[in-house]
Amino acid sequence: MMIEFMTSIALFVSTLLMVPLTTAQLEDFTQLAGNDPKHALKLYPEYLAKLDEQHVEMQVALHLDALLAAMNAHSWPAFVTITQSLKEAQLQDILAGKRFKLLTRMGVAYRYNNQLEQAKRHYQCALGLANSDLELATLKVNLAIVFRLLEQPAMAFQLIDSIDSGQLTTRVKAGYSVIRGNILQSLHRFDNAVTSFELAHRLYIELNNQQSRIDVTRNILGAALASKQLEAYAKYRASYVDEIRQYSPKSQDYLTWLDIISNSMQTGSLTEQDEIFLRQQVNSLIELGYKEPVKAHLHNINAMHLYPNDVTGRKGAQALPENLGKPWCPSL
């Protein structure tokens, strides 16, 4: 009887494993890839085992969502492994219509690793593959980010300025406005940057996205001081009194930096203790991406002697092999 019982359990488990993947499960997996990517990666091999050669479209969809999960989890070995799986011959007919999604996700992954030239090349491969104005606009935003990070702000602005923001959803328009503001800062157009950041601030309030609202307020504060808008700085800084605790220590250091700059601009002086703090923080703030406002702040208080002579660009971790998208973009 015991042998029969154990055999029955084995057959039951085997039957469970053969239950095909449902559309609902695949939809849930798509959500997990964005919201809980590590869990999605754990489910990925189990779900893939449930798909046979008759479910090629679902295989492609699962691979692409798993690629998104690996990107969001910064699991680069998994990202490379999934990319290799996508090279299977039986997937190519379906994948031909998904090249935009594939190449843009590769571009984002390279950008996350500061492999900026690779990100640029993969985004450029996708430019002619967009299926809608919204897809093209989103791609241009991503490409503009890369050009800014490559210290080519004029090219970045040309791209971002070619987008009809009226066609964007509120959520996308908010992100677009933040990126536009960052590019304007790179061009030292701090007044215009404040305007762009303020638009994003209003949109995040409309979306009830409190964390993004708080994040963009920090951008407003930096650009306001860079453009000598002390009233605007005071207005937005006052709302931060109860929100500083939501920041990491590095962000708190930037707020301290901003308060010192604001005080110095108003008094026309800088204490020895404050100068020591600025000197200690300047390199780390530049590394965090505040190069243009930090330089403008020091200029505004006649403290350019604190700005380092040699500012190096961001270095990539080289976590990903080059030209991962070549099978789907021969020009790489």
Side-chain angles (χ1 to χ4, degrees), residues 32-157:
L32 281 175
N35 301 326
D36 192 355
K38 291 183 179 179
H39 186 204
L41 288 176
K42 289 180 180 179
L43 290 176
Y44 168 61
E46 174 187 332
Y47 282 9
L48 188 61
K50 294 184 177 185
L51 295 172
D52 57 26
E53 296 178 358
Q54 305 302 314
H55 297 88
V56 177
E57 287 193 32
M58 292 184 76
Q59 285 186 46
V60 169
L62 183 64
H63 285 314
L64 289 174
D65 284 339
L67 204 65
L68 176 63
M71 182 186 77
N72 288 333
H74 289 205
S75 179
W76 306 123
F79 192 93
V80 173
T81 298
I82 296 163
T83 300
Q84 296 300 319
S85 297
L86 282 164
K87 294 180 181 179
E88 295 178 8
Q90 69 270 21
L91 305 181
Q92 299 316 303
D93 286 346
I94 300 298
L95 200 54
K98 308 288 185 181
R99 287 185 299 154
F100 177 85
K101 181 180 289 187
L102 174 59
L103 290 167
T104 52
R105 286 183 180 174
M106 289 179 174
V108 173
Y110 280 119
R111 177 164 62 84
Y112 281 0
N113 281 286
N114 282 329
Q115 293 173 256
L116 300 177
E117 284 293 340
Q118 284 294 309
K120 181 182 75 173
R121 294 178 66 186
H122 282 73
Y123 285 147
Q124 288 173 330
C125 277
L127 276 173
L129 301 173
N131 293 316
S132 67
D133 290 340
L134 182 57
E135 280 190 349
L136 182 59
T138 303
L139 177 57
K140 284 183 176 181
V141 167
N142 281 321
L143 191 53
I145 293 171
V146 170
F147 275 114
R148 184 182 74 84
L149 294 174
L150 286 168
E151 299 190 2
Q152 299 177 44
M155 183 65 74
F157 186 77

Side-chain angles (χ1 to χ4, degrees), residues 103-328:
L103 290 167
T104 52
R105 286 183 180 174
M106 289 179 174
V108 173
Y110 280 119
R111 177 164 62 84
Y112 281 0
N113 281 286
N114 282 329
Q115 293 173 256
L116 300 177
E117 284 293 340
Q118 284 294 309
K120 181 182 75 173
R121 294 178 66 186
H122 282 73
Y123 285 147
Q124 288 173 330
C125 277
L127 276 173
L129 301 173
N131 293 316
S132 67
D133 290 340
L134 182 57
E135 280 190 349
L136 182 59
T138 303
L139 177 57
K140 284 183 176 181
V141 167
N142 281 321
L143 191 53
I145 293 171
V146 170
F147 275 114
R148 184 182 74 84
L149 294 174
L150 286 168
E151 299 190 2
Q152 299 177 44
M155 183 65 74
F157 186 77
Q158 182 179 337
L159 273 167
I160 205 81
D161 204 43
S162 70
I163 297 170
D164 178 8
S165 62
Q167 69 184 343
L168 305 178
T169 64
T170 301
R171 182 183 63 82
V172 175
K173 188 174 183 180
Y176 159 88
S177 300
V178 174
I179 293 161
R180 184 184 178 89
N182 287 333
I183 293 169
L184 287 165
Q185 287 199 120
S186 295
L187 293 167
H188 307 286
R189 294 169 56 181
F190 295 107
D191 285 330
N192 299 119
V194 170
T195 300
S196 194
F197 290 143
E198 286 184 320
L199 174 58
H201 188 271
R202 292 193 296 272
L203 293 172
Y204 284 130
I205 291 174
E206 183 180 330
L207 292 164
N208 196 32
N209 187 334
Q210 298 305 316
Q211 186 59 58
S212 293
R213 175 185 64 81
I214 292 169
D215 289 344
V216 79
T217 303
R218 184 179 57 201
N219 294 36
I220 294 172
L221 293 172
L225 289 183
S227 59
K228 302 181 180 180
Q229 297 185 46
L230 291 174
E231 289 186 5
Y233 178 81
K235 170 187 172 183
Y236 286 97
R237 182 65 180 88
S239 68
Y240 255 43
V241 174
D242 297 324
E243 295 173 341
I244 295 176
R245 66 182 183 276
Q246 299 187 47
Y247 279 104
S248 67
K250 288 184 179 180
S251 295
Q252 291 177 5
D253 287 340
Y254 186 47
L255 288 174
T256 302
W257 168 288
L258 293 171
D259 286 340
I260 290 172
I261 298 296
S262 174
N263 182 67
S264 181
M265 289 174 67
Q266 293 177 72
T267 64
S269 63
L270 184 67
T271 69
E272 182 180 352
Q273 182 179 355
D274 285 344
E275 181 168 335
I276 291 171
F277 179 86
L278 297 182
R279 189 184 300 277
Q280 290 173 339
Q281 297 299 320
V282 63
N283 284 305
S284 61
L285 292 177
I286 290 171
E287 179 63 26
L288 285 171
Y290 298 119
K291 183 177 74 171
E292 288 83 9
V294 158
K295 189 172 185 178
H297 297 159
L298 294 176
H299 179 270
N300 289 345
I301 64 169
N302 298 314
M304 280 301 292
H305 60 283
L306 299 178
Y307 194 80
N309 293 324
D310 184 22
V311 177
T312 57
R314 297 182 182 185
K315 295 180 179 179
Q318 299 298 320
L320 294 173
E322 293 187 353
N323 302 326
L324 281 173
K326 189 173 181 62
W328 306 279

